[in-house]
Amino acid sequence: MHAAIITLLLTFFTSLSSAHYALTFPYWRGPSFPTQWDYPCGGMNQSLSANNRTLWPLSGGAIALTPTHPWAQTYINLGLGSNVTGFNISLVGPFNQTSNGTFCLPEVKLPADLNVQEGTQASIQVVQLSHLGGALYNCADITFSKDAKSPGSAVCFNSTGVGAQALDYDGPEQCNATTGGGKTSGATGLGTGPGVMLLVVFAGVVAVFMV
Ligand SMILES: [Cu+2]
């Protein structure tokens, strides 16, 4: 009886751990699969970074992960320091990361006004909001350095079918107080200037990253 329950639990947790995603570059803080819902780093606390820092280029570098979901709204953030509590610098996103396998952005640039020095420590946070509605977190700890090495094409590549898309934005919701009307149709909204502009600009950004 107990053995059966344990087998059932093991099966459940194995199926959980086969989902979610890992960071393969910079290498993640730790195997967060069972606790990946926990903000801000999937349950992997900062002390785990002690022996696990990746050298990363001073102007920014590659970020590779192994998504397992059909799609996920994805954000990549940065926090400076050796003990990061707030990931307040947006590096990429949000964008829709599509399909599963390996996904890599070969050169994620730092914001132009961000001044990092040789030896500056920081942590990168990846957030994926999956199709099931869960928020999944992972962090990787880095040291900015001119000696940082490229992860190489064995680590930084995009599996067949894996990619990124701009998020579709079909205009703000509109409410007509007199008729009680709701949201306008997507087709109508897409015709509005700001929405299309946002889409085009962001598609350009993603295209640059995907080169
Ligand atoms: Cu998952």
Side-chain angles (χ1 to χ4, degrees), residues 75-166:
Y75 300 73
I76 302 178
N77 303 316
L78 180 78
L80 294 179
S82 56
N83 186 12
V84 175
T85 53
F87 293 85
N88 57 331
I89 301 161
S90 174
L91 293 183
V92 194
F95 63 96
N96 187 18
Q97 183 275 309
T98 53
S99 196
N100 51 64
T102 293
F103 173 73
C104 185
L105 297 170
E107 193 170 16
V108 175
K109 289 288 187 192
L110 296 184
D113 59 348
L114 191 67
N115 186 23
V116 301
Q117 313 286 333
E118 179 73 23
T120 296
Q121 294 191 333
S123 297
I124 289 171
Q125 177 199 49
V126 177
V127 184
Q128 287 212 309
L129 309 180
S130 77
H131 64 299
L132 297 174
L136 303 169
Y137 302 93
N138 266 313
C139 293
D141 304 291
I142 59 173
T143 301
F144 287 102
S145 174
K146 59 177 171 39
D147 299 325
K149 292 182 176 59
S150 159
S153 58
V155 173
C156 183
F157 65 96
N158 284 286
S159 303
T160 305
V162 170
Q165 297 175 339

Side-chain angles (χ1 to χ4, degrees), residues 16 19-20 68-69 136:
L16 277 184
H20 303 346
T68 59
H69 294 259
L136 303 169

